[in-house]
Amino acid sequence: EDQVTQSPEALRLQEGESSSLNCSYTVSGLRGLFWYRQDPGKGPEFLFTLYSAGEEKEKERLKATLTKKESFLHITAPKPEDSATYLCAVHSDRSYNTDKLIFGTGTRLQVFP
Amino acid sequence: DTAVSQTPKYLVTQMGNDKSIKCEQNLGHDTMYWYKQDSKKFLKIMFSYNNKELIINETVPNRFSPKSPDKAHLNLHINSLELGDSAVYFCASSRDRAETQYFGPGTRLLVL
């Protein structure tokens, strides 16, 4: 069965303290890995899609990378406004024809001034 | 401009009632979805529609019935509401099947 595991469950950072969030996956064949940001009381907001090992995408202080077993979301010099829950999701060979996105349980990031 | 919108934003109701949640997208997408997010923030797909045709129907109780009057709308009707139905329900859409999904703001359902 396809599985997505995110760690840590929660992360507290001081403003400017860089760190990484992990998303490890066990799937029948990766078709795409997605990162979303979710603020309290709001819907998930799309950040990145990664398709193949070695691929990297960047947006402001965020950089997503992908290997054959996991993806990292690197946050460089975070600011308090980066505080949110970050969700990882995958499409696999098994889920592709059914459009099913498999989500992890998220990492809750808090950045303190 | 709101890309994916849902109404209502909050819904508080009694057990046994029937309620509907509406979703509309103005992105011109062909595929729409309903997700349920539980108290632990885990997102799980319930249904997906492509060009008004049901594609995914996960194991949800048949009290839940999606309806897609056209490609831009996907509504969720829930009969005989139970306490365990309390959750946040998200609508999403994608340009085509298995492409990046864009989510609405959510409907917070509380069943008393």
Side-chain angles (χ1 to χ4, degrees):
Chain A
E1 188 177 330
D2 296 338
Q3 274 195 319
V4 178
T5 304
Q6 290 187 248
S7 62
E9 194 172 309
L11 182 62
R12 292 163 59 100
L13 297 174
Q14 206 68 33
E15 184 172 2
E17 180 187 359
S18 301
S19 188
S20 296
L21 281 53
N22 177 266
C23 170
S24 60
Y25 58 90
T26 307
V27 297
S28 53
L30 184 70
R31 291 289 191 122
L33 186 142
F34 303 82
W35 281 99
Y36 288 86
R37 169 193 171 126
Q38 186 173 23
D39 292 293
K42 298 198 172 175
E45 176 189 343
F46 170 70
L47 293 173
F48 304 109
T49 308
L50 301 166
Y51 292 104
S52 54
E55 192 175 355
E56 298 182 352
K57 295 246 175 104
E58 278 188 75
K59 181 180 177 180
E60 296 179 356
R61 294 178 293 282
L62 300 177
K63 179 179 175 181
T65 61
L66 182 65
T67 73
K68 289 185 178 178
K69 292 184 179 179
E70 57 194 348
S71 176
F72 291 95
L73 186 65
H74 306 280
I75 304 179
T76 303
K79 298 182 177 181
E81 52 261 43
D82 294 323
S83 298
T85 295
Y86 290 86
L87 298 168
C88 171
V90 299
H91 266 140
S92 69
D93 284 343
R94 185 179 291 127
S95 69
Y96 192 72
N97 288 332
T98 60
D99 309 334
K100 190 174 167 181
L101 262 185
I102 312 293
F103 275 88
T105 49
T107 293
R108 191 173 66 255
L109 173 67
Q110 292 179 291
V111 182
F112 295 92
Chain B
D1 287 343
T2 304
V4 183
S5 58
Q6 295 179 229
T7 53
K9 187 167 183 178
Y10 299 97
L11 190 49
V12 181
T13 188
Q14 299 288 328
M15 260 181 16
N17 284 350
D18 302 339
K19 290 293 177 186
S20 290
I21 306 172
K22 295 188 175 185
C23 177
E24 177 180 1
Q25 54 94 4
N26 62 7
L27 297 168
H29 287 172
D30 284 346
T31 310
M32 296 183 73
Y33 311 81
W34 277 111
Y35 283 85
K36 180 179 180 180
Q37 189 171 48
D38 60 24
S39 56
K40 295 191 175 182
K41 306 297 184 187
F42 184 63
L43 263 171
K44 190 168 181 198
I45 192 157
M46 300 172 69
F47 302 101
S48 87
Y49 267 78
N50 179 257
N51 279 318
K52 295 169 49 180
E53 179 189 351
L54 180 65
I55 303 300
I56 300 175
N57 184 352
E58 288 292 287
T59 37
V60 298
N62 57 16
R63 299 181 294 104
F64 290 79
S65 54
K67 284 208 170 43
S68 181
D70 56 57
K71 284 197 320 184
H73 296 85
L74 181 62
N75 303 324
L76 183 65
H77 188 74
I78 316 170
N79 289 328
S80 303
L81 278 154
E82 299 178 358
L83 293 175
D85 297 332
S86 296
V88 183
Y89 292 85
F90 288 101
C91 177
S93 73
S94 63
R95 188 176 56 180
D96 202 347
R97 296 179 62 182
E99 295 205 18
T100 300
Q101 296 179 21
Y102 296 88
F103 286 78
T107 294
R108 282 137 195 88
L109 172 65
L110 178 60
V111 182
L112 302 173

